Amino acid sequence: MSLWSRTRNTVYREITATAMALFLERGFDATTIDDIAAAAGISRRSFFRYFGTKEDVVLGDLIASGDLVRQALEARPDDEEVWAALRNALHSVKDTAFDEPTMLKIFTMVHETPSLRARSIEKHLQWQALLTPEVRRRLGADPADPLDVRADALVATVITCLDVAGDAWTRCNGAVPLETLFDAAAAAVRSTP
């Protein structure tokens, strides 16, 4: 990685850390871009060199996480059942940037803030685009057949199970592990006649 890229990544992480501290202290809606820029020691214009919106500060790494899930899915054995491969890929990718209490605060903020919730759903659609080709391959689906919706349906269902588990995790204040809630949601979908 070049010096420029390393410097850019360092500044990106510093702005993100500063903004997240403000969001968790004041609330998402009560924190402005000007507040973030001032606390980070940058101009408003510099903020927009790194982030398109305030929501991107909170959810910017979600796409990167989707790419990690895709890589983990591609690394799963070809003979592994598709649901199991998706589950195992998701469970193998954990956010290590924050401790669990901080993650719970972030999840709560996302689930309670309409603009963050909407942006989160938009990012999950990008996850679907990342994961569907590998699921199509595993199902032996013709990539040129627009009527074979199996892979799209499976990936959309798994992402919905993840969202449902996240909602439940915030409601129970983290008392039950997120992975357990995801497994319960996925099992319910798979076992319902």
Side-chain angles (χ1 to χ4, degrees):
M1 190 181 284
S2 70
L3 175 61
W4 183 86
S5 295
R6 289 193 312 269
T7 301
R8 182 170 173 75
N9 286 343
T10 299
V11 172
Y12 174 91
R13 285 193 304 274
E14 287 177 12
I15 296 168
T16 300
T18 300
M20 291 304 290
L22 291 172
F23 293 151
L24 295 175
E25 176 188 327
R26 301 177 184 178
F28 182 80
D29 290 329
T31 304
T32 67
I33 290 171
D34 289 331
D35 294 336
I36 297 166
I42 61 171
S43 68
R44 181 181 174 87
R45 184 174 176 186
S46 292
F47 174 88
F48 286 112
R49 285 190 192 123
Y50 292 90
F51 302 97
T53 66
K54 192 170 71 165
E55 288 79 6
D56 288 338
V57 176
V58 178
L59 300 169
D61 289 336
L62 194 56
I63 289 297
S65 295
D67 196 48
L68 292 174
V69 174
R70 179 193 56 78
Q71 291 172 28
L73 179 61
E74 289 173 353
R76 301 298 310 164
D78 278 347
D79 61 349
E80 187 172 37
E81 189 264 335
V82 174
W83 269 97
L86 282 163
R87 175 199 176 275
N88 292 331
L90 279 170
H91 284 330
S92 72
V93 176
K94 297 189 190 238
D95 189 338
T96 57
F98 299 102
D99 58 33
E100 192 166 301
T102 304
M103 281 304 299
L104 184 58
K105 288 177 185 176
I106 293 168
F107 266 60
T108 302
M109 180 174 57
V110 169
H111 290 275
E112 291 177 351
T113 308
S115 65
L116 283 173
R117 184 77 173 167
R119 193 83 166 127
S120 173
I121 291 168
E122 182 183 315
K123 299 278 187 180
H124 277 159
L125 289 174
Q126 293 175 349
W127 273 37
Q128 184 162 347
L130 288 170
L131 300 175
T132 298
E134 175 61 13
V135 173
R136 288 181 74 82
R137 185 192 71 75
R138 287 172 175 270
L139 293 173
D142 178 357
D145 182 359
L147 301 179
D148 188 342
V149 297
R150 296 174 299 154
D152 297 280
L154 283 168
V155 173
T157 301
V158 164
I159 291 170
T160 298
C161 288
L162 187 60
D163 282 340
V164 167
D167 284 341
W169 192 57
T170 58
R171 282 194 309 273
C172 76
N173 203 29
V176 177
L178 182 58
E179 293 87 356
T180 301
L181 294 166
F182 170 79
D183 288 345
V189 170
R190 294 196 69 196
S191 66
T192 302

